[in-house]
Amino acid sequence: MRHRLRFFLRKLLRMILLLLGVSAITFALMCASPLDPLQTNVGQVALGSMSQEQVEKLEAYWGVNTPPAERYMGWLSGVARGDFGMSLLYRQPVLTIIGQRLGNSVWVLGFAWLFSGALGLLLGVLAGVYRGRLPDRCIRWYCLLISSTPAFWLALLLLLVFSVWLGWLPIGLSVPVGMETSAVSFLDRVRHAVLPALTLSITGVANIAMHTREKMIDVLESDAILFAKARGESGISIILRHGLRNVALPAITLQFASISEIIGGSVLAEQVFSYPGLGQAAVTAGLGSDLPLLLGITVITAAIVFMGNLAADLLYGVVDPRIRRGRAKS
Amino acid sequence: MNGRKGTLIFWGVASLILFCLVVIGLFVEEAATVTDFSRTNLPPSLQYPFGTDWMGRDMFQRTLAGLSLSIRIGLLTAAVSAAVAFVLGLCAATLGSRVDACISWCIDWVMGIPHILLVMLISIACGRGFTGVVVGVALSHWTSLARLVRGEILQLRQAPYMLAAEKLGVSRLKQAGRHVMPHVLPQFITGLVLLFPHAILHEASVTFLGFGLSSEQPAIGVILSESMRYLTTGKWWLALFPGLSLVFVVVLFSLLGDGLRRWLDPASAHR
């Protein structure tokens, strides 16, 4: 138990260091940008017609003249107190906006993550078992095509087919236009979330399926399987008792590593469907040079990704008895 | 004809297609920006296979020019990424445990930020535009290849024939040239070719979001983000064909990489 605790604490420390690094690099990159936040948000013409005082006020608001190191330290001490600053574009606390946006995104992300993981595992196992035969070939072609398709184009196609052509699903946003918040039913929200979730699920499958297939082929060529066959075990029993158990470990790694990809994909999908989630907020913040908001989003997403990795590390011990015992000994 | 010959023939044909795309795209770049308001919003026909847009530009020519630009950017960024990956992987594997820990930390660090966000951030730092995309994509794709190179070299250093060579007093340079290179180079080249699809897709995505190439340039990302405004009015050809041709190019690159991997893997020669 003490070993596991120490392992956990060491991972946690590493995670905090990585998050510090992520925030520092984000800050440095945004500060290095030659794009002037005043010009992008206020506009050249409006800026020209303003008095010197007004321009100075705006400059102070966007923090143009404060040295980067000082701003970063200010931000960091704020974060230590649980304050991520104010979004410059939305004029609201960053954490409020992130909370709101994450609330919209989390269902889409969660569904896509679970669904693509389960389907990817299933397809991978099938392809591995039917190696070289028709199901395997179909699955491999599907994966090749999907991993070669830009997520946003797939989203466009789905939009074209289901919203414009068939008219089954709404075109964008997360709620119907011109409706009061209280009048929006659960079904409305689901209808708006279907296409983004579908896009992310379709694209997420390829990577997991291909890796699971490779692993499954390796496992099926092992001596244990040969012995099981010699004992007369049936095909399904071999897959369930020997195949799946060995595939589980890499599958967990892949599943948790795919969090980062799904969040990346959600940036694109939400932009196409104008779904007001975290990804869309990131694009808005990036285009509008809203440093506090973008910084907040990057750090929070990075934290989610690292948490995923940590969860995978902890789950190894649960799934694989060898790792559990090995760690207790050392 | 065996599998190896088939792979070789496929390689020849596919690279020829891609090469032709790049060259043709360069030639039609001028024609792709010609606007003609007598032929706006035409659906696909024999004369304009991909239709025309609201400014009367020929979408077929625009797509060709865009693909050419995408392939060129992909080549450039993949080459830079691969070079970075090779140097860092080599350093991590040979310069001791301190450097190794440091580089591993960097890899985790870069991988912690979702790819798209990272490319976005670097692109912003470079002021967006062509430089933004190229630097962004080049500096964010080296991580997995660097890990591969590092792992490969670390494993090799423990191999019996490497230990024997060291004990026999073979100089490090000769060890590297004689034993390490022939082993790592094929893997590295395959990794390099398989970087293209990612690089091209990310370039298109970031441009689509508005952080990449500017709207005057003929890029697939620009074409597709413009088409979004006309989708609801039924102009499906603006989005369908450019995207489809991009998928075609990326699939070709992926198949090239797979073919190369199989061709360079001696164990699969008998298949």
Side-chain angles (χ1 to χ4, degrees), chain A residues 14 17-18 21-22 25-26 29-30 32-35 40 131 141 144-145 147-150 152-153 156-157 159-160 164 171 260 263-265 267-268 271-272 282-283 286-289 294 297-298 301-302 305-306, chain B residues 104-105 108-109 111-118 120-122 124-128 201 204-206 208-211 221 224 227-228 231-234 236 239-244 246-247 250-251 254-255 258 271:
Chain A
R14 189 182 162 84
L17 273 178
L18 279 168
V22 165
I25 190 77
T26 310
L29 284 173
M30 288 294 280
S33 168
L35 302 169
T40 37
R131 179 187 181 185
W141 267 102
L144 177 66
L145 271 182
S147 55
S148 308
T149 306
F152 64 94
W153 184 65
L156 279 175
L157 276 193
L159 190 74
L160 208 55
V164 179
I171 286 181
S260 160
I263 293 181
V267 175
L268 293 163
Q271 188 69 10
V272 173
V283 175
L287 288 174
S289 310
L294 194 57
I297 293 176
T298 319
T301 39
V305 171
F306 291 141
Chain B
S104 293
W105 193 83
D108 279 355
W109 180 39
M111 278 184 151
I113 310 176
H115 239 130
I116 292 274
L117 269 181
L118 185 63
M120 253 167 67
L121 283 169
I122 300 179
I124 292 173
C126 299
R128 300 189 203 144
L201 286 181
S205 305
V206 169
F208 175 79
L209 290 177
F211 295 94
L224 289 177
S227 81
M228 281 242 299
L231 275 190
T232 41
T233 53
W236 50 272
L240 182 65
F241 295 120
L244 213 54
L246 182 67
V247 173
V250 176
V251 165
S254 301
L255 287 176
D258 278 349
R271 273 196 212 124

Side-chain angles (χ1 to χ4, degrees), chain A residues 2 6 18 20 75 84 94 99 103-104 109 136 139 146-147 149 157 166-167 189 217 233 245 249 261 301:
Chain A
R2 261 185 65 197
R6 196 184 286 166
L18 279 168
L20 268 179
W75 181 82
F84 276 70
V94 167
N104 283 335
L109 292 176
D136 179 30
I139 292 169
I146 287 302
S147 55
T149 306
L157 276 193
L166 296 172
R189 287 188 181 276
I217 288 174
E233 245 185 275
R245 283 191 158 206
L249 212 58
E261 274 169 52
T301 39

Side-chain angles (χ1 to χ4, degrees), chain A:
Chain A
M1 201 56 217
R2 261 185 65 197
H3 288 280
R4 302 217 17 101
L5 199 66
R6 196 184 286 166
F7 170 74
F8 181 74
L9 284 179
R10 215 174 40 224
K11 286 272 173 190
L12 206 65
L13 188 70
R14 189 182 162 84
M15 192 175 102
I16 292 168
L17 273 178
L18 279 168
L19 280 180
L20 268 179
V22 165
S23 72
I25 190 77
T26 310
F27 199 91
L29 284 173
M30 288 294 280
C31 284
S33 168
L35 302 169
D36 182 7
L38 287 183
Q39 289 208 358
T40 37
N41 289 303
V42 184
Q44 184 75 42
V45 185
L47 214 56
S49 65
M50 278 180 193
S51 68
Q52 193 59 37
E53 268 171 44
Q54 278 172 313
V55 172
E56 266 168 25
K57 248 186 202 164
L58 276 173
E59 277 180 348
Y61 179 69
W62 289 93
V64 178
N65 294 327
T66 328
E70 198 177 304
R71 283 172 78 193
Y72 183 64
M73 290 323 283
W75 181 82
L76 217 53
S77 67
V79 169
R81 280 179 275 118
D83 174 19
F84 276 70
M86 293 285 274
S87 159
L88 301 174
L89 284 175
Y90 295 91
R91 293 175 189 270
Q92 274 177 330
V94 167
L95 277 184
T96 317
I97 298 176
I98 291 181
Q100 225 172 29
R101 296 302 185 110
L102 201 59
N104 283 335
S105 283
V106 80
W107 300 110
V108 173
L109 292 176
F111 173 79
W113 184 61
L114 291 176
F115 185 72
S116 64
L119 190 65
L121 185 67
L122 181 72
L123 288 181
V125 170
L126 274 181
V129 172
Y130 288 104
R131 179 187 181 185
R133 282 150 60 187
L134 190 65
D136 179 30
R137 274 196 217 152
C138 292
I139 292 169
R140 261 165 53 202
W141 267 102
Y142 169 78
C143 291
L144 177 66
L145 271 182
I146 287 302
S147 55
S148 308
T149 306
F152 64 94
W153 184 65
L154 189 72
L156 279 175
L157 276 193
L158 290 176
L159 190 74
L160 208 55
V161 172
F162 289 105
S163 301
V164 179
W165 193 28
L166 296 172
W168 288 355
L169 293 164
I171 286 181
L173 306 177
S174 70
V175 290
V177 181
M179 225 177 181
E180 275 181 50
T181 335
S182 52
V184 178
S185 67
F186 178 70
L187 202 67
D188 280 328
R189 287 188 181 276
V190 170
R191 269 164 55 84
H192 282 85
V194 167
L195 284 183
L198 194 62
T199 311
L200 294 178
S201 309
I202 294 178
T203 47
V205 165
N207 192 19
I208 294 180
M210 284 328 279
H211 280 96
T212 307
R213 174 183 176 272
E214 300 270 308
K215 186 71 196 168
M216 195 70 194
I217 288 174
D218 282 352
V219 172
L220 287 182
E221 278 175 354
S222 69
D223 293 343
I225 299 291
L226 192 66
F227 182 56
K229 276 184 189 157
R231 282 202 322 263
E233 245 185 275
S234 73
I236 291 184
S237 150
I238 287 180
I239 294 166
L240 290 181
R241 291 178 57 186
H242 303 285
L244 273 185
R245 283 191 158 206
N246 282 301
V247 171
L249 212 58
I252 288 174
T253 319
L254 285 171
Q255 178 69 5
F256 281 94
S258 75
I259 293 179
S260 160
E261 274 169 52
I262 287 217
I263 293 181
S266 81
V267 175
L268 293 163
E270 285 175 3
Q271 188 69 10
V272 173
F273 297 111
S274 34
Y275 190 83
L278 202 61
Q280 203 206 20
V283 175
T284 315
L287 288 174
S289 310
D290 187 346
L291 178 59
L293 182 57
L294 194 57
L295 205 54
I297 293 176
T298 319
V299 170
I300 298 278
T301 39
I304 296 175
V305 171
F306 291 141
M307 228 98 91
N309 292 344
L310 190 64
D313 279 336
L314 291 177
L315 270 179
Y316 287 161
V318 176
V319 173
D320 192 335
R322 284 171 303 185
I323 291 183
R324 210 158 43 212
R325 273 177 225 136
R327 195 147 282 137
K329 256 184 232 158
S330 61

